[in-house]
Protein backbone atom coordinates (compact mmCIF):
# COMPACT_ATOMS: atom_id res chain seq x y z
CA UNK A 1 0.00 0.00 0.00
CA UNK A 2 1.39 3.38 -1.02
CA UNK A 3 0.06 5.05 2.14
CA UNK A 4 2.43 3.06 4.38
CA UNK A 5 5.44 4.80 2.80
CA UNK A 6 4.36 8.37 3.55
CA UNK A 7 5.94 8.47 7.00
CA UNK A 8 9.11 6.55 6.12
CA UNK A 9 12.48 8.14 5.49
CA UNK A 10 13.86 8.40 1.99
CA UNK A 11 16.43 5.62 2.34
CA UNK A 12 13.75 3.21 3.50
CA UNK A 13 11.56 4.10 0.55
CA UNK A 14 14.39 3.66 -1.95
CA UNK A 15 15.37 0.32 -0.43
CA UNK A 16 11.76 -0.87 -0.40
CA UNK A 17 11.18 0.15 -4.00
CA UNK A 18 14.38 -1.61 -5.06
CA UNK A 19 13.13 -4.81 -3.44
CA UNK A 20 9.71 -4.50 -5.06
CA UNK A 21 11.30 -3.86 -8.46
CA UNK A 22 13.32 -7.05 -8.14
CA UNK A 23 10.14 -9.05 -7.68
CA UNK A 24 7.84 -7.09 -9.94
CA UNK A 25 7.49 -10.01 -12.41
CA UNK A 26 5.53 -11.88 -9.75
CA UNK A 27 3.05 -9.03 -9.26
CA UNK A 28 -0.06 -9.78 -11.30
CA UNK A 29 -2.63 -7.55 -9.62
CA UNK A 30 -3.23 -4.36 -11.62
CA UNK A 31 -3.71 -2.25 -8.47
CA UNK A 32 -0.42 -3.48 -7.01
CA UNK A 33 1.39 -2.75 -10.28
CA UNK A 34 -0.06 0.77 -10.30
CA UNK A 35 1.14 1.27 -6.71
CA UNK A 36 4.61 0.11 -7.75
CA UNK A 37 4.57 2.70 -10.55
CA UNK A 38 3.64 5.42 -8.02
CA UNK A 39 6.40 4.27 -5.66
CA UNK A 40 8.95 4.37 -8.49
CA UNK A 41 7.91 7.91 -9.39
CA UNK A 42 8.28 8.92 -5.73
CA UNK A 43 11.68 7.23 -5.53
CA UNK A 44 12.77 8.91 -8.76
CA UNK A 45 11.81 12.32 -7.36
CA UNK A 46 13.71 11.63 -4.14
CA UNK A 47 16.82 10.55 -6.04
CA UNK A 48 16.63 13.52 -8.40
CA UNK A 49 16.18 15.97 -5.52
CA UNK A 50 19.58 15.05 -4.12
CA UNK A 51 21.12 16.84 -7.13
CA UNK A 52 23.74 14.12 -7.43
CA UNK A 53 21.74 10.99 -8.12
CA UNK A 54 20.17 11.80 -11.48
CA UNK A 55 21.23 8.44 -12.93
CA UNK A 56 19.49 6.71 -10.02
CA UNK A 57 16.45 8.91 -10.65
CA UNK A 58 16.37 7.79 -14.28
CA UNK A 59 16.41 4.17 -13.05
CA UNK A 60 13.27 4.70 -10.97
CA UNK A 61 11.44 6.77 -13.58
CA UNK A 62 12.23 4.14 -16.25
CA UNK A 63 11.02 1.40 -13.88
CA UNK A 64 7.79 3.33 -13.36
CA UNK A 65 7.26 3.56 -17.11
CA UNK A 66 8.27 -0.03 -17.84
CA UNK A 67 6.14 -1.58 -15.08
CA UNK A 68 2.87 -1.06 -16.94
CA UNK A 69 4.33 -0.30 -20.34
CA UNK A 70 4.50 3.12 -21.92
CA UNK A 71 1.23 3.08 -23.90
CA UNK A 72 -0.85 1.48 -21.15
CA UNK A 73 0.54 3.93 -18.62
CA UNK A 74 -0.35 6.94 -20.81
CA UNK A 75 -3.78 5.54 -21.66
CA UNK A 76 -4.90 4.51 -18.17
CA UNK A 77 -2.85 6.63 -15.76
CA UNK A 78 -2.11 9.93 -17.48
CA UNK A 79 -1.01 11.96 -14.44
CA UNK A 80 1.40 9.25 -13.31
CA UNK A 81 2.73 8.82 -16.86
CA UNK A 82 3.26 12.57 -17.13
CA UNK A 83 5.06 12.74 -13.77
CA UNK A 84 7.32 9.80 -14.65
CA UNK A 85 8.22 11.19 -18.07
CA UNK A 86 8.79 14.76 -16.84
CA UNK A 87 10.99 13.40 -14.04
CA UNK A 88 12.92 11.33 -16.56
CA UNK A 89 13.37 14.30 -18.91
CA UNK A 90 14.56 16.49 -16.02
CA UNK A 91 17.10 13.87 -14.96
CA UNK A 92 18.42 13.62 -18.51
CA UNK A 93 18.59 17.43 -18.70
CA UNK A 94 20.51 17.58 -15.41
CA UNK A 95 22.89 14.85 -16.59
CA UNK A 96 23.60 16.83 -19.75
CA UNK A 97 22.05 14.18 -21.97
CA UNK A 98 20.23 16.51 -24.33
CA UNK A 99 19.44 13.78 -26.86
CA UNK A 100 17.61 11.54 -24.39
CA UNK A 101 15.92 14.57 -22.86
CA UNK A 102 14.66 15.55 -26.31
CA UNK A 103 13.35 12.05 -27.05
CA UNK A 104 11.54 11.97 -23.71
CA UNK A 105 10.03 15.43 -24.28
CA UNK A 106 8.86 14.31 -27.73
CA UNK A 107 7.11 11.36 -26.07
CA UNK A 108 5.45 13.68 -23.55
CA UNK A 109 4.27 16.09 -26.24
CA UNK A 110 2.87 13.19 -28.28
CA UNK A 111 0.62 12.20 -25.35
CA UNK A 112 0.09 15.56 -23.63
CA UNK A 113 -3.54 16.32 -22.90
CA UNK A 114 -3.10 20.04 -22.28
CA UNK A 115 -1.16 22.95 -23.69
CA UNK A 116 0.31 23.51 -20.22
CA UNK A 117 1.68 19.97 -20.12
CA UNK A 118 3.29 20.48 -23.53
CA UNK A 119 4.76 23.80 -22.37
CA UNK A 120 6.10 22.19 -19.19
CA UNK A 121 7.88 19.55 -21.29
CA UNK A 122 9.23 22.14 -23.72
CA UNK A 123 10.64 24.20 -20.84
CA UNK A 124 12.68 21.19 -19.70
CA UNK A 125 14.06 20.83 -23.23
CA UNK A 126 14.76 24.58 -23.51
CA UNK A 127 16.79 24.31 -20.30
CA UNK A 128 18.62 21.28 -21.72
CA UNK A 129 19.48 23.21 -24.88
CA UNK A 130 20.68 26.13 -22.77
CA UNK A 131 22.85 23.82 -20.67
CA UNK A 132 24.49 22.52 -23.84
CA UNK A 133 25.06 26.05 -25.22
CA UNK A 134 22.53 25.37 -27.99
CA UNK A 135 21.12 28.87 -27.73
CA UNK A 136 19.56 29.04 -31.18
CA UNK A 137 17.63 25.84 -30.55
CA UNK A 138 16.61 27.14 -27.12
CA UNK A 139 15.45 30.44 -28.58
CA UNK A 140 13.52 28.78 -31.41
CA UNK A 141 11.76 26.39 -29.03
CA UNK A 142 11.07 29.26 -26.61
CA UNK A 143 9.39 31.21 -29.39
CA UNK A 144 7.24 28.28 -30.48
CA UNK A 145 6.32 27.51 -26.86
CA UNK A 146 5.26 31.11 -26.26
CA UNK A 147 3.20 30.97 -29.46
CA UNK A 148 1.60 27.74 -28.23
CA UNK A 149 0.67 29.58 -25.03
CA UNK A 150 -0.83 32.45 -27.01
CA UNK A 151 2.03 34.90 -26.45
CA UNK A 152 3.99 35.02 -29.70
CA UNK A 153 7.42 36.61 -29.53
CA UNK A 154 8.30 38.65 -32.63
CA UNK A 155 11.36 37.48 -34.55
CA UNK A 156 12.53 41.04 -35.20
CA UNK A 157 11.04 43.33 -32.52
Amino acid sequence: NVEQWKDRNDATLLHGVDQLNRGFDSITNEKSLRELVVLNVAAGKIAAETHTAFDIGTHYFRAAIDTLGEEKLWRNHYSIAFAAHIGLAECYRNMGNCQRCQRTVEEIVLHAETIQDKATAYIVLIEAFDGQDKWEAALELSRSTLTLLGCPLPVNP
Side-chain angles (χ1 to χ4, degrees):
N1 185 342
V2 174
E3 297 299 314
Q4 76 186 19
W5 294 98
K6 286 191 174 181
D7 295 328
R8 307 284 178 144
N9 67 34
D10 293 348
T12 302
L13 174 68
L14 296 177
H15 180 71
V17 174
D18 283 337
Q19 293 301 315
L20 291 169
N21 284 340
R22 286 188 186 128
F24 113 90
D25 287 341
S26 63
I27 302 172
T28 57
N29 177 297
E30 181 77 20
K31 183 180 180 214
S32 297
L33 286 170
R34 183 187 175 286
E35 288 181 349
L36 180 57
V37 169
V38 171
L39 287 169
N40 272 292
V41 170
K45 287 179 181 179
I46 289 167
E49 286 172 0
T50 67
H51 301 287
T52 57
F54 300 121
D55 58 331
I56 295 170
T58 62
H59 163 77
Y60 289 115
F61 289 125
R62 274 282 16 132
I65 294 164
D66 294 344
T67 295
L68 289 177
E70 194 139 11
E71 290 306 315
K72 185 176 183 180
L73 187 60
W74 280 115
R75 186 176 54 252
N76 298 332
H77 309 286
Y78 177 81
S79 62
I80 298 168
F82 182 78
H85 284 82
I86 276 292
L88 184 61
E90 290 171 340
C91 283
Y92 286 143
R93 173 203 62 206
N94 294 337
M95 293 167 63
N97 193 330
C98 198
Q99 199 171 46
R100 284 191 175 173
C101 179
Q102 187 168 0
R103 281 197 304 260
T104 305
V105 166
E106 288 168 357
E107 184 69 26
I108 294 167
V109 170
L110 179 67
H111 292 92
E113 293 180 350
T114 68
I115 290 171
Q116 286 74 23
D117 286 351
K118 287 181 181 182
T120 298
Y122 285 141
I123 289 167
V124 174
L125 185 54
I126 290 164
E127 293 168 343
F129 286 151
D130 182 52
Q132 296 290 309
D133 297 335
K134 296 178 179 180
W135 296 302
E136 285 191 31
L139 181 60
E140 182 180 320
L141 186 54
S142 295
R143 278 196 176 111
S144 63
T145 302
L146 286 169
T147 300
L148 178 71
L149 293 170
C151 303
L153 184 65
V155 177
N156 296 315

